[in-house]
Amino acid sequence: MNAVSDPVTGRVGHVKSEERVDLLVVGAGIVGLAHAHAAQRRGLRVHVIERDDRAVGASSRNFGHICLTAQTGRAHDFGAAGRSTWLELARDAGFRAEEAGTVVVARSDDEFAVLHEFAATRHGDVEILQPGEVEARIPSGGSVVGGAWLPADLRVDPRGAAAAIAAWLERTRRVSFSWNTSLLDVVDGGARTSRGPIEATDVVVCVGHDVDRIFPDVADAAGVERCRLHMLQVENPTGRPVHPAVLSGLSLLRYSGFSSCPSAARVRERVRAERPELLDCAMNLMLTELPDGTLAIGDTHHDARTHLPYADEQYDELLLAEAASLLGTRRLTVRSRWRGVYAAADGEFMIAAPTSTARIVTVTSGIGMTTAFGLAEQVLDDLVS
Ligand SMILES: Cc1cc2nc3c(=O)[nH]c(=O)nc-3n(C[C@H](O)[C@H](O)[C@H](O)COP(=O)(O)OP(=O)(O)OC[C@H]3O[C@@H](n4cnc5c(N)ncnc54)[C@H](O)[C@@H]3O)c2cc1C
């Protein structure tokens, strides 16, 4: 550890980086770790700072669903490019990642029509399932009309992956970390932090939804808000493992690959007429199995710059009822509840260049786990000469 004095405050601080690094990464969520991983693979010396003593942001509060098939455009390309990195890192860093695929359950004809339209655009990537084939893959309620099988999707351990990747990167000795260290400002030749300055050739700021805390004008220009989600961990009541990730008809309104299909409008109209409360909270009913066999269920979506702290119980109750119906059970037993937050804006990605040697990188929709590794490679191609 070396002592360095801050040129602005004169304050002496301590950072673990003992010499100028090639890349300073701010934020040890999945987007920051993906940049650190891509940079160390290019032979660069990397230092990561994280304001908490472990990353507890969006990257440890999600489903762990590497949901690449349902994406379009850049998001699909980033997801496809990063798939093998997830599998390699799981093996090397020692966390669970499974080639589990996704089952999308259709419980009405209009939902099944969307899946047929989607499958027609994705030759070989999507298989249409009849009701019995859905039942064979996952436990589900009786009202299944059909489904789709997306074999390329992965399921990773959402609670363990980021910490395992950080520990593994540190073991490579090309990446060092300063925990409990906050970025204050990006300056020429590096950054000012709460523990003093760090010299770096390039800086990548990956602070997720907190980008407005440091770069309010950049966040304003992109219209970044905080999307708050209700999530629950429940016991699996079915007596059968739920190996694939499970999406529902409401997911057809969420992911661009589905929502761009002509029949998606009919699904939305029907849900608006029959169950407006599901649209009011923008529910994307889905679930994934956690490593201990319990299920992560969610989610609801509310956007605001600043959220009030009071969590409305009605959303948890709605989620529990809908998930129970999807699984064909009457009641679910809750093990834990949490609120997730991610950055939300009109586009899916916000990449800004406050200086020629710095980038601010934020995934501005709920697909950072899917896209981070592909995204990071593209950012570094542009930033690092
Ligand atoms: C409930 C929920 C479910 C989701 N499900 C999925 C899913 O299944 N699949 C998928 O692809 N995506 C999913 N997402 C989205 C995905 O989790 C996010 O897009 C992704 O984790 C964002 O990663 P990040 O690194 O940008 O942000 P974060 O994980 O929030 O990390 C940002 C880090 O920056 C740190 N930081 C902030 N300010 C500073 C500072 N000044 N100095 C130093 N450090 C700072 C924070 O402490 C934090 O650790 C979900 C999100 C939520 C909330």
Side-chain angles (χ1 to χ4, degrees):
M1 220 183 246
N2 62 337
V4 277
S5 98
D6 187 309
V8 177
T9 62
R11 175 179 166 191
V12 174
H14 294 275
V15 290
K16 275 195 199 157
S17 173
E18 286 171 9
E19 56 196 48
R20 181 183 185 84
V21 291
D22 299 312
L23 183 71
L24 172 66
V25 174
V26 182
I30 201 63
V31 175
L33 295 174
H35 285 83
H37 175 260
Q40 65 85 26
R41 278 217 297 211
R42 294 169 193 227
L44 303 180
R45 267 187 50 81
V46 183
H47 191 68
V48 181
I49 62 168
E50 162 59 48
R51 77 176 166 201
D52 285 314
D53 68 3
R54 54 187 300 182
V56 293
S59 304
S60 61
R61 300 178 187 211
N62 59 65
F63 290 98
H65 185 205
I66 310 307
C67 174
L68 62 104
T69 312
Q71 312 304 327
T72 54
R74 280 204 302 170
H76 181 271
D77 295 346
F78 289 153
R83 184 181 187 278
S84 58
T85 306
W86 269 114
L87 295 172
E88 278 167 33
L89 272 172
R91 185 195 59 217
D92 296 344
F95 62 88
R96 285 274 283 276
E98 299 191 38
E99 298 185 77
T102 300
V103 170
V104 192
V105 183
R107 292 185 289 170
S108 65
D109 290 339
D110 49 21
E111 292 171 1
F112 205 22
V114 173
L115 294 179
H116 277 98
E117 289 164 6
F118 179 61
T121 67
R122 298 296 180 92
H123 309 289
D125 292 345
V126 181
E127 188 187 322
I128 290 295
L129 301 176
Q130 297 309 316
E133 296 171 310
V134 173
E135 283 288 339
R137 289 181 189 273
I138 54 160
S140 51
S143 54
V144 175
V145 169
W149 169 236
L150 320 181
D153 292 357
L154 307 177
R155 177 166 53 71
V156 306
D157 174 7
R159 298 185 176 195
I165 293 169
W168 179 80
L169 286 170
E170 202 153 26
R171 288 201 296 278
T172 67
R173 297 185 180 282
R174 287 193 296 274
V175 183
S176 53
F177 284 78
S178 292
W179 302 94
N180 295 119
T181 303
S182 293
L183 175 73
L184 302 179
D185 199 5
V186 174
V187 295
D188 273 348
R192 291 194 307 120
T193 82
S194 52
R195 292 181 192 272
I198 295 179
E199 290 184 23
T201 306
D202 294 304
V203 181
V204 182
V205 180
C206 309
V207 294
H209 51 270
D210 284 338
V211 61
D212 62 344
R213 305 264 196 256
I214 312 162
F215 300 102
D217 295 339
V218 173
D220 284 349
V224 178
E225 292 194 305
R226 290 176 173 75
C227 179
R228 190 192 70 181
L229 303 87
H230 283 233
M231 296 283 289
L232 299 107
Q233 177 194 20
V234 298
E235 289 175 10
N236 179 350
T238 68
R240 284 172 63 188
V242 186
H243 193 61
V246 180
L247 298 181
S248 72
L250 292 172
S251 311
L252 305 179
L253 307 178
R254 192 96 210 146
Y255 299 111
S256 55
F258 303 134
S259 62
S260 56
C261 293
S263 293
R266 279 195 287 139
V267 175
R268 184 177 291 281
E269 281 164 27
R270 177 181 50 76
V271 178
R272 182 174 290 126
E274 294 175 359
R275 302 290 311 279
E277 70 277 19
L278 301 180
L279 292 189
D280 289 347
C281 64
M283 186 184 288
N284 170 18
L285 178 65
M286 61 174 287
L287 58 93
T288 54
E289 192 178 71
L290 297 173
D292 66 358
T294 59
L295 305 175
I297 66 169
D299 50 18
T300 57
H301 298 83
H302 292 94
D303 291 347
R305 185 74 176 253
T306 301
H307 285 278
L308 295 175
Y310 320 110
D312 198 330
E313 183 65 13
Q314 67 166 316
Y315 300 125
D316 286 1
E317 285 173 6
L318 201 51
L319 276 170
L320 286 166
E322 293 303 308
S325 154
L326 185 67
L327 288 164
T329 187
R330 291 173 70 86
R331 197 174 145 268
L332 293 168
T333 303
V334 178
R335 286 270 201 93
S336 67
R337 300 165 193 256
W338 66 101
R339 311 285 165 251
V341 180
Y342 63 68
D346 279 345
E348 292 175 316
F349 305 98
M350 188 199 76
I351 303 169
T355 72
S356 61
T357 57
R359 295 292 179 274
I360 305 163
V361 184
T362 306
V363 179
T364 46
S365 76
I367 52 172
M369 295 290 278
T370 304
T371 55
F373 289 105
L375 169 65
E377 294 289 352
Q378 190 189 81
V379 171
L380 290 194
D381 283 349
D382 167 51
L383 178 63
V384 179
S385 45

